[in-house]
Amino acid sequence: MHALTATVRTWPMLAALGAALVLIALAAGAGGVMQPALLVLGVAALGWGGLALHTGRVLAPATVLVVAAASLVGTATAVATGSAATADVAPGPLAAASVFIVVVAFSAGLVLRGRDRGRGAATETRGDRATSDTARLIGLVAGAALVAALATPALAATEAGESAVPHGTHQQAPDSPSRESDRPGGHAH
């Protein structure tokens, strides 16, 4: 197996998991028809991403390509008609989810193209397998970092993300002292 192929093999699955997280977070704050559509698509992406990551290959590429294309057309239509704004769906996270979906669709298209050309599975030698394992690990880490870099700000921009307690702070009861030194015993916990 070519080292680059081994490196990026898990990226579609990670992209599907990133899309799932963002879509489910968008569904949590969406209204109208957008809410169940985003939720169903998010749950489907979560299931597909997990199963595909487990098997190590793109599953049902033709179906994935059709669903991805339909979801991208639906997203573009919702944004163009103003339905997304009416349903309180933030455009930034929706764009991030669309990027993830494009990655999944692209990989499904490559798998279908490879099948049409009749490519068979290449045999690996022991040295190739060791290189592939290292490449897969590097690819997994790099893919996870890319997904986190796109998904984290997208999740923060959803209604669920905006409602979350800011990291590094604690909510205080209205009658609690505001400074650590004002607490009984004068020390922080």
Side-chain angles (χ1 to χ4, degrees):
M1 179 185 302
H2 191 268
L4 181 60
T5 303
T7 303
V8 299
R9 178 175 287 260
T10 58
W11 289 12
M13 295 80 161
L14 296 172
L17 295 174
L21 293 173
V22 174
L23 290 168
I24 292 169
L26 282 170
V33 176
M34 292 286 292
Q35 185 177 39
L38 291 167
L39 183 61
V40 167
L41 189 58
V43 169
L46 185 64
W48 182 88
L51 287 173
L53 194 57
H54 176 70
T55 62
R57 62 186 178 87
V58 174
L59 300 173
T63 303
V64 167
L65 197 54
V66 169
V67 170
S71 68
L72 291 170
V73 168
T75 298
T77 303
V79 170
T81 62
S83 299
T86 304
D88 292 328
V89 175
L94 195 56
S98 296
V99 169
F100 287 135
I101 292 168
V102 166
V103 170
V104 173
F106 181 74
S107 67
L110 287 177
V111 169
L112 290 174
R113 184 175 178 216
R115 284 184 186 171
D116 289 345
R117 290 188 175 180
R119 276 192 231 157
T123 58
E124 291 183 356
T125 65
R126 180 174 282 182
D128 290 340
R129 223 172 289 129
T131 301
S132 294
D133 288 344
T134 302
R136 282 188 198 117
L137 180 60
I138 291 168
L140 185 62
V141 171
L146 289 171
V147 169
L150 183 58
T152 301
L155 288 169
T158 64
E159 185 176 321
E162 290 173 359
S163 298
V165 175
H167 296 289
T169 63
H170 299 280
Q171 289 182 340
Q172 296 180 356
D175 61 332
S176 68
S178 60
R179 294 189 334 218
E180 303 265 339
S181 61
D182 292 342
R183 290 187 179 159
H187 65 277
H189 295 276

